[in-house]
Amino acid sequence: MTAHIAVTAAISGILAFATALLIFRPRPGAVLESVVLGALTAAVFLWRKSANLPQLNTDGLQGLSANDWLAPVLTFVWLSVYRLLRPPHDPIRFGRAVGAAAIIAFAINVITI
C-alpha cells in the first residue's frame, strides 16, 4: 500500500509542478518555485501514509473518503505556509498555482486511491 500511496503523491507532485511551470513562465525563478510547489504537493504522501486507517478510508459519500477531502486541504495549508515564509514574486500567479495544486491533489487522490 505504501508504494501505491507514493505513486499517487508523485503523480500529484509532477502534475502540480508542470501546471505551476505553465502558470509562472516565462518569469525568472519559475522553475525553482514550480519545483517547491510540486514537492510540497507530493508531501501529501506523509498525510496519506500516516492516516491510512479504515475509519478515514471509508467512503462517507460514494467514492469520497475523509482522506480524499483532507489531502487537498493539507496541500493548500502547506503551500500557504510556504507563501508566508517566502513571499512569491507574483502573488496572483502563485495563488493560481496553489489553487491548481489543491485541485490536482484532490483529483489524483480520488482517482488513484
Side-chain angles (χ1 to χ4, degrees):
M1 187 59 153
T2 299
H4 185 80
I5 295 170
V7 168
T8 299
I11 292 169
S12 296
I14 290 166
L15 289 176
F17 164 77
T19 302
L21 199 55
L22 288 173
I23 291 170
F24 294 145
R25 70 180 173 96
R27 193 182 54 71
V31 174
L32 178 60
E33 273 192 353
S34 297
V35 167
V36 170
L37 200 134
L40 289 173
T41 301
V44 76
F45 167 79
L46 299 172
W47 164 256
R48 292 303 300 238
K49 181 62 182 159
S50 65
N52 193 20
L53 305 169
Q55 309 89 297
L56 294 175
N57 285 328
T58 301
D59 292 352
L61 293 173
Q62 184 64 32
L64 298 170
S65 69
N67 272 333
D68 294 333
W69 289 108
L70 286 171
V73 170
L74 288 173
T75 297
F76 184 83
V77 168
W78 292 329
L79 292 171
S80 296
V81 169
Y82 172 75
R83 180 183 198 167
L84 294 172
L85 295 174
R86 188 175 179 275
H89 296 289
D90 187 340
I92 293 173
R93 286 186 184 189
F94 192 84
R96 289 178 185 153
V98 168
I103 291 167
I104 288 167
F106 178 73
I108 296 301
N109 277 279
V110 169
I111 293 167
T112 63
I113 294 184

